Amino acid sequence: MKFYNSIGPNPRVVKMFMQEKGVTLPFVEVDLMAGENRQEPYLAKNPAGQSPALELDDGTVLAEITAICEYLDEKFPGGSLIGTTPEERAETRMWTRRVDLNICEPMANGFRFAEGLPLFQNRMRCLPEAAAGLKAIAQDKLAWLDKLMNGRDFLAGKRLTMADILLFGFLDFGASVGQPINPELKNVSAWFERMKARPSAAASA
């Protein structure tokens, strides 16, 4: 089994997940800046041309960070970051989807269509006119989340889950590309600092 790694928040999420699970895999570095992910032979492994990817021992290649994380959670022993009961797993997936669709995706596309436009404009359809609105959507949903986080250690209450790792990876990236957390969001800010203090955050950076 090997992990196709690159710069960016997506592989960072999986690396942090692996750190929390205690999973160690060999890495193959993919040069995202040079567009290696959009060329053969990488496209033969992941036709979506995205990073990261996980190649299994039988040659099967998994892409999409939540699918990779769920596979690793089931494949390797140790505490589950998805959940040990149907209820816990459903709660984790609910929060993961909320975070992904409402915060991570608009934040990432806001970057791609603005600061990242020189890199992405020849790789995908970009909508520069949508950048400001997408960034605002991400901030609106963070404000919504801040109210729900009152009294919680993590998104799912007392449990650290895949949803927390996903959100942290993208918020840490957002802060580096002009989309910082509004300091008025006290609950999200405190949660972010708790996540940043975890050894897995430094090890996956």
Side-chain angles (χ1 to χ4, degrees), residues 12 19 23-25 29 69 87-88 98 111-112 114 121 125 135 146 155 183-185 190 197 200-201:
R12 201 285 178 83
Q19 286 286 330
V23 174
T24 302
L25 297 175
E29 295 298 329
C69 288
E87 293 77 15
E88 286 184 354
R98 285 173 171 173
F111 162 73
R112 293 183 187 114
Q121 61 187 347
R125 185 180 294 278
K135 293 177 182 181
D146 190 70
L155 294 174
E184 294 180 4
L185 304 182
S200 61

Side-chain angles (χ1 to χ4, degrees), residues 61-199:
V61 177
L62 300 177
E64 307 301 335
I65 56 177
T66 54
I68 293 172
C69 288
E70 290 215 24
Y71 174 79
L72 294 173
D73 197 73
E74 293 183 20
K75 186 71 173 178
F76 289 90
S80 174
L81 294 167
I82 310 297
T84 58
T85 66
E87 293 77 15
E88 286 184 354
R89 290 190 290 273
E91 185 180 33
T92 298
R93 290 166 179 147
M94 174 185 74
W95 279 111
T96 299
R97 184 165 173 81
R98 285 173 171 173
V99 162
D100 201 6
L101 292 180
N102 295 321
I103 300 171
C104 300
E105 276 299 310
M107 176 176 282
N109 281 325
F111 162 73
R112 293 183 187 114
F113 300 165
E115 295 85 356
L117 188 62
L119 178 63
F120 288 98
Q121 61 187 347
N122 294 322
R123 301 185 184 189
M124 60 185 291
R125 185 180 294 278
C126 292
L127 304 171
E129 67 277 11
L134 288 165
K135 293 177 182 181
I137 288 171
Q139 294 300 320
D140 289 346
K141 288 301 183 179
L142 276 174
W144 170 79
L145 181 61
D146 190 70
K147 296 183 177 66
L148 297 179
M149 285 294 291
N150 190 40
R152 299 189 188 200
D153 293 333
F154 302 106
L155 294 174
K158 297 296 183 182
R159 291 188 302 125
L160 172 73
T161 71
M162 174 173 62
D164 296 284
I165 295 171
L166 175 64
L167 181 59
F168 174 78
F170 275 82
L171 291 187
D172 201 33
F173 171 75
S176 72
V177 293
Q179 297 184 66
I181 300 170
N182 183 340
E184 294 180 4
L185 304 182
K186 301 300 185 184
N187 294 321
V188 168
S189 296
W191 165 88
F192 182 83
E193 292 304 317
R194 290 195 297 274
M195 292 294 295
K196 191 174 182 179
R198 299 183 73 86

